[in-house]
Amino acid sequence: DVQLVESGGGSVLAGGSLRLSCAASGYTVSSNFVGWFRQAPGKEREGVAAINGGADTTYYAGSVKGRFTISQDNAKNTVYLQMSSLKPEDTGMYYCAASVGIRGYPALSRAQYNYWGQGTQVTVS
C-alpha cells in the first residue's frame, strides 16, 4: 500500500521559512510524481508544487514560484517543500500526494493524484 506521511508544519511569522517533508512507502519517489497541495479554511485544495522524479522536472503555482522549492532525497524516499518568505496567505493544511495509474492531467491538478497524506498545518501570522 502507498503511504505518505507529512511533517514539518508549524507556526511562523511572515517572512519566515519552513521545510515540509513527505516520507513515502510503497511508492518510489525517484520514478514518479509527488505533489504538494494546500487547503485553507473555506477554500478548495490547490496544488502548489510537484516533482516528476523520473524526469527531475518541477512545477510551481504562480503564487509560490520563487519562494518555494520542491526537492527529493531518493535514498530516504522523501520529498521536501522548502518554503521561504512566507505570507499569511500561505496558511493552510499542506498535503503531499502520489499518483498511481493516472495519466494526462496537469501536475498541479488534484485529478492527477489518488493517494494523499494526512496533512501538516502551516500557520503564518
Side-chain angles (χ1 to χ4, degrees), residues 4 6 15 21 25 28 49 52 56 66 68 81 94 102-103 105 124:
L4 305 168
E6 303 97 332
S21 299
S25 59
T28 303
N52 179 350
D56 199 22
F68 290 13
L81 185 67
Y94 281 69
I102 298 177
R103 294 290 184 271
Y105 293 95
V124 185

Side-chain angles (χ1 to χ4, degrees), residues 15-91:
S17 300
L18 282 174
R19 188 178 79 157
L20 306 184
S21 299
C22 173
S25 59
Y27 188 76
T28 303
V29 303
S30 63
S31 55
N32 289 287
F33 275 90
V34 174
W36 279 101
F37 290 74
R38 67 185 179 193
Q39 187 167 18
K43 295 189 176 180
E44 291 194 356
R45 193 171 299 187
E46 63 172 350
V48 295
I51 186 166
N52 179 350
D56 199 22
T57 304
T58 57
Y59 309 82
Y60 295 96
S63 59
V64 307
K65 203 166 189 178
R67 300 188 298 121
F68 290 13
T69 302
I70 189 170
S71 62
Q72 62 190 49
D73 183 331
N74 295 337
K76 295 182 178 180
N77 207 35
T78 297
V79 172
Y80 301 100
L81 185 67
Q82 177 68 49
M83 306 186 295
S84 303
S85 302
L86 283 162
K87 305 175 181 180
E89 51 263 43
D90 294 318
T91 293

